[in-house]
Amino acid sequence: MEQLTSSIAPPRSSPKSSAPSSTQQGAGSVAKRLSNELMTLMMSSSPGISAFPKHDGNLFEWVGTIEGPSETIYAGLTFKISISFPPNYPYVAPTIKFDTPCYHPNVDISGGAICLDILQDKWSAVYSVQTILLSLQSLLGEPNNDSPLNSDAASLWDEPAVFKTQLMKHYRPVSDSA
Amino acid sequence: MATDALRSQVAAKWQESFHRLNSDAPGISGLMNFSEAWAISTQYLYPWDINNASLDGGGKPFGKDLNVARPAFSLVNHSRRLPALLENFLDDMRQNFYLIENEINQFMERYEADEDTAEIDPLITKLMEWYKSWAPPQELGSTFFSSYTLNFQTRLFSALPPSFAHGFKKLCARLLSPPDDDHAQWDPNIHAEVWKNFEILGLIDRYESIIASVGYEFIENHVLSKCTGEWGKPMLEELRVWMSEKVVPWMLHVYARGASNAEEARSMLQGVGSRFDFHINKTLCDLRTREIFDIIIDFPDSMGALQDLKDCLQRVDQRANLVRSLRKSNQKRLLHPGADTKLILQQYVATIKCLRIVDPPGVLLFKVADPIRRYLRERPDTIRSIVANLVGDDDGGDSLVDENEPIQPLQQPEFEDYTDPQWEPEPIDAGPEFRTNKPGDILSTLVSIYDSKDLFVKELQVLLAQRLLMITKDNSDRVERERKNVEILKIRFGEAALQVCEVMLRDMTDSKRIDGHVQSQKESVVHPTIISRHFWPSLESSDMVMPGQFKQLQEDYAHEFNVFKPDKTLKWLPHLGTVQLELELEDRTIEVDVPPLEAAFIELFADQAIWTLDELVKAVGAVDRSAAIKALSTWVDHGVLKEDPENTFRLLERAEEPSEAVVRERDLAALPVVEDTPAISVAQQQQADQMRVYWKFIEGMLTNLEKLPLDRIQSMLKFAPGYDRSIEQLGDFMEAARREGLVVVRDGIWKLNK
């Protein structure tokens, strides 16, 4: 009975507000999903990856931290990324870019944009922040040189010494950028 | 100069006066007669020194013959010179009053020297003597007499020194108190004469307040001596009887003097009687107020005192006093760290019961209970004590809840029902936050110390879990007892709240059934209790691994279980339970029941006779070092192992003569096997768990946002579900983390210590 009246109530109150309220409701469930993801991420303690909302009260903008995997050229380096969730997450992938300049075949060195299939056409609602972070971490060690955003880097990939020099030329330690 | 008219007027007046005195007698003979009568009269009335009187021929004081004086008086009266005579008399009295003053001073000096009321008594008698000796005869009329009395009293009062009041008070007290031994034969009338003297001398009116205070003190002393510590039966009625027997006769003299009959006396006594009755009430009330804490301790043996208190409070407005006194003694004697929670609860329950007798609406209780409840809320083991008491887990202590009380559902605070025809307004001294709670249900009151009953239900689950896990194969009938408990608690807390407990109980029976089945397939000495993880309170996990044959036994059992219940997996909690062991050593066999860790250790010694502590700990997986030492010392106590040197243990295949130190230690310990209660993470542990979650969040935010001030951390923690700490608590927590070297702080900005 209560459910009935509550479902009748909104149209009666104001038909104009029905459209925003539905997105509001959507936002509510997105927020819930995001907060669940946050909880899972916090409790999972995967080494080298982490992320957290930038501001209290806003779950849609996060900051992420990725440590370069050991035994790769990125070992010992830490990269900051920013993650921005769309209102219709998880049906649409979040927008992710590197804040720390990252010299990498699939990363735009100036804008920080990333070319990663699961962030574009291969996105699925079952992915989560944690899977994205893990994918990014492994992307560092195993770039996809077939579709480079940074063709210089792609071409230098096979010469680690030169690559490393280029990498360190662009790299800014985290604490300086923050 | 005088005119003729004036002269003639004076002459007329003179003539008139002359005639009046001369009484128309010839010549001045009338005048002579008058002057003689005047002389006789003044002589008769002259205030003489009764101690030192000059006697006339007849042995009477000189000039005191009334027969001679009477005609003289009438002559003076006839000549209308009585006022002059009175004036003259009073003047003489003024001049001679020093005689009495001297006498008084002598008596009082003696009294002041030894404070003996025996000096006051004769003083009064003596004063009466003076008074009577100086009194004018009746023939001079009542005006004359009353002027004399008034004058005498006035002079007397001014002559009495201040110490007299004190002495008089003592005298009155002596007159009032009956001789100690023979109460029955005490006749209040033996002092009637003295009282009459007091009255004549005007002392009663003058010292009325002193006499009253004597009465009050008398009552106070009696009440205090009779009633202090006497709480068994109501005393008030007895006191009233005593009052009418002992005090009223005395009062008759003081307050009903001159009453012609009983009716009149009664009406005269009414005012003062009710004052004295009030005083009894007040004294008793004050006494009980002072004793209230102990009265409550003694409840229900102190029923009488409570009844008295109730009656007294109706008469005397001392409710605020009672509250203050009880709160103070509670603060001093009850609500301090030295008092056991159980005791505090018991006293609280007794307080509830007692104050309901004294004040059924519960206003007093509300005011007194508030600090107790606040204090109890701060104690970590309050819930545990209450719950333990509920399920009868208390050893020795009285049950908080009356067994005879009907079991009823918990009452939730209700809104007032104004349609209730029995509705009564709140009592006048109820505070704004006063809530009536229906009398009778102690448990509801206890549960309402906390805001919700959920805490109790949770604690109940923990307690039940503990008790169920303690059950072994041999005393499995205890499951039934627990079931009964749960049924009773269901009535109180509601079916839904105890559903989890229900599942726990079912797990117990299911375990037995499953065990039966598994045993029928393949016999095993292992009898596990199989519990559903989600419905049991979180059990302390352990990384312990059972070595040797135990491991084999577990695996075999788990295999059979999987055959029986393929959709479920058995996860062992090897550190819980008991193991029945029979150790065969070269020279002896030892049978013991020990906890699993002990069993695991001794199993290891089957293969190798000497182990170091570190090796042992490693061999059974990760266990707490202190727990390991404790387990090993059990075997040392049994004389099976020996620590030699430190942290190295050797199996004693042959028993050693116990060295003295060991014997002593064993005597001290004198514990064969301590059956540990299964370690279940209780509230504190849960809190620590929660804090661990929050720490993850703090770590996460500091990793990504680098450095944050405390208030940002606090507001960011809102992302963590159920975060409810204050910023102060967070500050403490961060401080603790800093001490552990996890974070660093500079200028109030926190960052991870990398």
mmCIF file of all heavy atoms in Angstrom, chain B residues 583-606:
data_model
loop_
_atom_site.group_PDB
_atom_site.id
_atom_site.type_symbol
_atom_site.label_atom_id
_atom_site.label_comp_id
_atom_site.label_asym_id
_atom_site.label_seq_id
_atom_site.Cartn_x
_atom_site.Cartn_y
_atom_site.Cartn_z
ATOM 1 N N LEU B 583 48.981 -39.965 26.811
ATOM 2 C CA LEU B 583 50.397 -39.950 26.470
ATOM 3 C C LEU B 583 51.055 -41.200 27.026
ATOM 4 O O LEU B 583 50.967 -41.477 28.223
ATOM 5 C CB LEU B 583 51.091 -38.720 27.085
ATOM 6 C CG LEU B 583 50.587 -37.350 26.685
ATOM 7 C CD1 LEU B 583 51.450 -36.298 27.369
ATOM 8 C CD2 LEU B 583 50.635 -37.174 25.193
ATOM 9 N N GLU B 584 51.688 -41.921 26.141
ATOM 10 C CA GLU B 584 52.414 -43.100 26.619
ATOM 11 C C GLU B 584 53.894 -42.765 26.634
ATOM 12 O O GLU B 584 54.525 -42.606 25.593
ATOM 13 C CB GLU B 584 52.145 -44.293 25.713
ATOM 14 C CG GLU B 584 50.800 -44.931 25.989
ATOM 15 C CD GLU B 584 50.519 -46.090 25.048
ATOM 16 O OE1 GLU B 584 51.491 -46.641 24.484
ATOM 17 O OE2 GLU B 584 49.347 -46.418 24.881
ATOM 18 N N LEU B 585 54.408 -42.657 27.800
ATOM 19 C CA LEU B 585 55.827 -42.401 27.951
ATOM 20 C C LEU B 585 56.486 -43.669 28.452
ATOM 21 O O LEU B 585 55.795 -44.649 28.772
ATOM 22 C CB LEU B 585 56.033 -41.241 28.928
ATOM 23 C CG LEU B 585 55.411 -39.920 28.425
ATOM 24 C CD1 LEU B 585 55.334 -38.911 29.547
ATOM 25 C CD2 LEU B 585 56.202 -39.369 27.271
ATOM 26 N N GLU B 586 57.773 -43.636 28.525
ATOM 27 C CA GLU B 586 58.475 -44.871 28.868
ATOM 28 C C GLU B 586 58.056 -45.443 30.210
ATOM 29 O O GLU B 586 57.867 -46.633 30.372
ATOM 30 C CB GLU B 586 59.998 -44.632 28.876
ATOM 31 C CG GLU B 586 60.594 -44.730 27.485
ATOM 32 C CD GLU B 586 62.069 -44.403 27.491
ATOM 33 O OE1 GLU B 586 62.690 -44.536 28.574
ATOM 34 O OE2 GLU B 586 62.596 -44.013 26.442
ATOM 35 N N ASP B 587 57.896 -44.576 31.178
ATOM 36 C CA ASP B 587 57.619 -45.088 32.517
ATOM 37 C C ASP B 587 56.199 -44.793 32.988
ATOM 38 O O ASP B 587 55.832 -45.144 34.089
ATOM 39 C CB ASP B 587 58.626 -44.497 33.506
ATOM 40 C CG ASP B 587 58.506 -42.988 33.553
ATOM 41 O OD1 ASP B 587 57.970 -42.411 32.573
ATOM 42 O OD2 ASP B 587 58.913 -42.384 34.551
ATOM 43 N N ARG B 588 55.429 -44.095 32.193
ATOM 44 C CA ARG B 588 54.108 -43.726 32.719
ATOM 45 C C ARG B 588 53.163 -43.368 31.578
ATOM 46 O O ARG B 588 53.597 -43.116 30.446
ATOM 47 C CB ARG B 588 54.220 -42.529 33.681
ATOM 48 C CG ARG B 588 54.739 -41.270 33.019
ATOM 49 C CD ARG B 588 55.348 -40.355 34.075
ATOM 50 N NE ARG B 588 55.608 -39.017 33.537
ATOM 51 C CZ ARG B 588 56.692 -38.710 32.828
ATOM 52 N NH1 ARG B 588 57.573 -39.625 32.523
ATOM 53 N NH2 ARG B 588 56.857 -37.471 32.405
ATOM 54 N N THR B 589 51.880 -43.356 31.915
ATOM 55 C CA THR B 589 50.874 -42.943 30.951
ATOM 56 C C THR B 589 50.114 -41.776 31.567
ATOM 57 O O THR B 589 49.776 -41.805 32.744
ATOM 58 C CB THR B 589 49.879 -44.083 30.677
ATOM 59 O OG1 THR B 589 50.623 -45.289 30.622
ATOM 60 C CG2 THR B 589 49.142 -43.862 29.386
ATOM 61 N N ILE B 590 49.904 -40.775 30.769
ATOM 62 C CA ILE B 590 49.200 -39.601 31.294
ATOM 63 C C ILE B 590 47.954 -39.373 30.470
ATOM 64 O O ILE B 590 47.996 -39.378 29.231
ATOM 65 C CB ILE B 590 50.109 -38.358 31.227
ATOM 66 C CG1 ILE B 590 51.324 -38.557 32.133
ATOM 67 C CG2 ILE B 590 49.337 -37.111 31.626
ATOM 68 C CD1 ILE B 590 52.340 -37.461 32.009
ATOM 69 N N GLU B 591 46.838 -39.192 31.174
ATOM 70 C CA GLU B 591 45.602 -38.895 30.452
ATOM 71 C C GLU B 591 45.184 -37.467 30.784
ATOM 72 O O GLU B 591 45.049 -37.113 31.950
ATOM 73 C CB GLU B 591 44.495 -39.857 30.884
ATOM 74 C CG GLU B 591 44.450 -41.103 30.035
ATOM 75 C CD GLU B 591 43.265 -41.971 30.391
ATOM 76 O OE1 GLU B 591 42.133 -41.451 30.339
ATOM 77 O OE2 GLU B 591 43.492 -43.138 30.754
ATOM 78 N N VAL B 592 45.007 -36.670 29.775
ATOM 79 C CA VAL B 592 44.620 -35.279 30.033
ATOM 80 C C VAL B 592 43.659 -34.778 28.949
ATOM 81 O O VAL B 592 43.632 -35.293 27.842
ATOM 82 C CB VAL B 592 45.846 -34.329 30.035
ATOM 83 C CG1 VAL B 592 46.556 -34.368 31.348
ATOM 84 C CG2 VAL B 592 46.774 -34.656 28.886
ATOM 85 N N ASP B 593 42.892 -33.771 29.349
ATOM 86 C CA ASP B 593 42.111 -33.003 28.374
ATOM 87 C C ASP B 593 42.809 -31.672 28.217
ATOM 88 O O ASP B 593 42.994 -30.955 29.197
ATOM 89 C CB ASP B 593 40.686 -32.753 28.902
ATOM 90 C CG ASP B 593 39.854 -34.003 28.794
ATOM 91 O OD1 ASP B 593 40.238 -34.882 28.008
ATOM 92 O OD2 ASP B 593 38.833 -34.098 29.499
ATOM 93 N N VAL B 594 43.212 -31.347 27.014
ATOM 94 C CA VAL B 594 43.950 -30.099 26.826
ATOM 95 C C VAL B 594 43.402 -29.336 25.622
ATOM 96 O O VAL B 594 42.754 -29.920 24.752
ATOM 97 C CB VAL B 594 45.452 -30.380 26.588
ATOM 98 C CG1 VAL B 594 46.105 -30.857 27.853
ATOM 99 C CG2 VAL B 594 45.641 -31.376 25.461
ATOM 100 N N PRO B 595 43.680 -28.052 25.574
ATOM 101 C CA PRO B 595 43.346 -27.282 24.380
ATOM 102 C C PRO B 595 44.185 -27.742 23.200
ATOM 103 O O PRO B 595 45.246 -28.353 23.402
ATOM 104 C CB PRO B 595 43.693 -25.847 24.778
ATOM 105 C CG PRO B 595 43.748 -25.857 26.257
ATOM 106 C CD PRO B 595 44.168 -27.223 26.654
ATOM 107 N N PRO B 596 43.739 -27.454 21.984
ATOM 108 C CA PRO B 596 44.413 -27.971 20.788
ATOM 109 C C PRO B 596 45.879 -27.588 20.700
ATOM 110 O O PRO B 596 46.696 -28.398 20.260
ATOM 111 C CB PRO B 596 43.637 -27.348 19.640
ATOM 112 C CG PRO B 596 42.320 -26.994 20.214
ATOM 113 C CD PRO B 596 42.534 -26.705 21.649
ATOM 114 N N LEU B 597 46.212 -26.377 21.106
ATOM 115 C CA LEU B 597 47.598 -25.946 20.949
ATOM 116 C C LEU B 597 48.526 -26.834 21.767
ATOM 117 O O LEU B 597 49.590 -27.261 21.303
ATOM 118 C CB LEU B 597 47.735 -24.482 21.379
ATOM 119 C CG LEU B 597 49.097 -23.858 21.127
ATOM 120 C CD1 LEU B 597 49.467 -23.920 19.661
ATOM 121 C CD2 LEU B 597 49.113 -22.414 21.612
ATOM 122 N N GLU B 598 48.117 -27.156 22.973
ATOM 123 C CA GLU B 598 48.899 -28.043 23.823
ATOM 124 C C GLU B 598 49.077 -29.395 23.131
ATOM 125 O O GLU B 598 50.171 -29.959 23.096
ATOM 126 C CB GLU B 598 48.196 -28.245 25.173
ATOM 127 C CG GLU B 598 48.553 -27.236 26.230
ATOM 128 C CD GLU B 598 47.678 -26.002 26.180
ATOM 129 O OE1 GLU B 598 47.196 -25.660 25.088
ATOM 130 O OE2 GLU B 598 47.485 -25.359 27.235
ATOM 131 N N ALA B 599 47.951 -29.872 22.588
ATOM 132 C CA ALA B 599 47.991 -31.169 21.925
ATOM 133 C C ALA B 599 48.951 -31.131 20.742
ATOM 134 O O ALA B 599 49.730 -32.059 20.516
ATOM 135 C CB ALA B 599 46.590 -31.547 21.459
ATOM 136 N N ALA B 600 48.899 -30.023 19.995
ATOM 137 C CA ALA B 600 49.745 -29.907 18.818
ATOM 138 C C ALA B 600 51.213 -29.964 19.223
ATOM 139 O O ALA B 600 52.024 -30.671 18.603
ATOM 140 C CB ALA B 600 49.454 -28.590 18.103
ATOM 141 N N PHE B 601 51.551 -29.262 20.275
ATOM 142 C CA PHE B 601 52.938 -29.247 20.715
ATOM 143 C C PHE B 601 53.409 -30.627 21.119
ATOM 144 O O PHE B 601 54.483 -31.077 20.734
ATOM 145 C CB PHE B 601 53.113 -28.273 21.889
ATOM 146 C CG PHE B 601 53.182 -26.844 21.443
ATOM 147 C CD1 PHE B 601 52.677 -25.827 22.239
ATOM 148 C CD2 PHE B 601 53.760 -26.501 20.224
ATOM 149 C CE1 PHE B 601 52.734 -24.511 21.840
ATOM 150 C CE2 PHE B 601 53.827 -25.194 19.823
ATOM 151 C CZ PHE B 601 53.315 -24.197 20.621
ATOM 152 N N ILE B 602 52.594 -31.310 21.904
ATOM 153 C CA ILE B 602 53.072 -32.598 22.421
ATOM 154 C C ILE B 602 53.171 -33.609 21.282
ATOM 155 O O ILE B 602 54.013 -34.493 21.298
ATOM 156 C CB ILE B 602 52.174 -33.077 23.592
ATOM 157 C CG1 ILE B 602 52.977 -33.955 24.542
ATOM 158 C CG2 ILE B 602 50.956 -33.798 23.093
ATOM 159 C CD1 ILE B 602 54.032 -33.205 25.298
ATOM 160 N N GLU B 603 52.311 -33.403 20.281
ATOM 161 C CA GLU B 603 52.392 -34.262 19.101
ATOM 162 C C GLU B 603 53.765 -34.099 18.431
ATOM 163 O O GLU B 603 54.384 -35.063 17.981
ATOM 164 C CB GLU B 603 51.265 -33.886 18.130
ATOM 165 C CG GLU B 603 51.344 -34.536 16.763
ATOM 166 C CD GLU B 603 51.006 -36.026 16.800
ATOM 167 O OE1 GLU B 603 50.475 -36.472 17.835
ATOM 168 O OE2 GLU B 603 51.280 -36.722 15.815
ATOM 169 N N LEU B 604 54.244 -32.875 18.399
ATOM 170 C CA LEU B 604 55.545 -32.619 17.784
ATOM 171 C C LEU B 604 56.669 -33.351 18.525
ATOM 172 O O LEU B 604 57.627 -33.831 17.927
ATOM 173 C CB LEU B 604 55.836 -31.121 17.769
ATOM 174 C CG LEU B 604 54.977 -30.308 16.791
ATOM 175 C CD1 LEU B 604 55.189 -28.825 17.022
ATOM 176 C CD2 LEU B 604 55.313 -30.681 15.360
ATOM 177 N N PHE B 605 56.495 -33.441 19.834
ATOM 178 C CA PHE B 605 57.536 -34.108 20.624
ATOM 179 C C PHE B 605 57.564 -35.610 20.390
ATOM 180 O O PHE B 605 58.483 -36.288 20.819
ATOM 181 C CB PHE B 605 57.348 -33.805 22.120
ATOM 182 C CG PHE B 605 57.885 -32.462 22.512
ATOM 183 C CD1 PHE B 605 57.063 -31.354 22.556
ATOM 184 C CD2 PHE B 605 59.237 -32.310 22.812
ATOM 185 C CE1 PHE B 605 57.563 -30.122 22.907
ATOM 186 C CE2 PHE B 605 59.735 -31.074 23.159
ATOM 187 C CZ PHE B 605 58.904 -29.972 23.207
ATOM 188 N N ALA B 606 56.538 -36.123 19.713
ATOM 189 C CA ALA B 606 56.527 -37.559 19.426
ATOM 190 C C ALA B 606 57.669 -37.909 18.475
ATOM 191 O O ALA B 606 58.211 -39.017 18.517
ATOM 192 C CB ALA B 606 55.185 -37.949 18.831
#
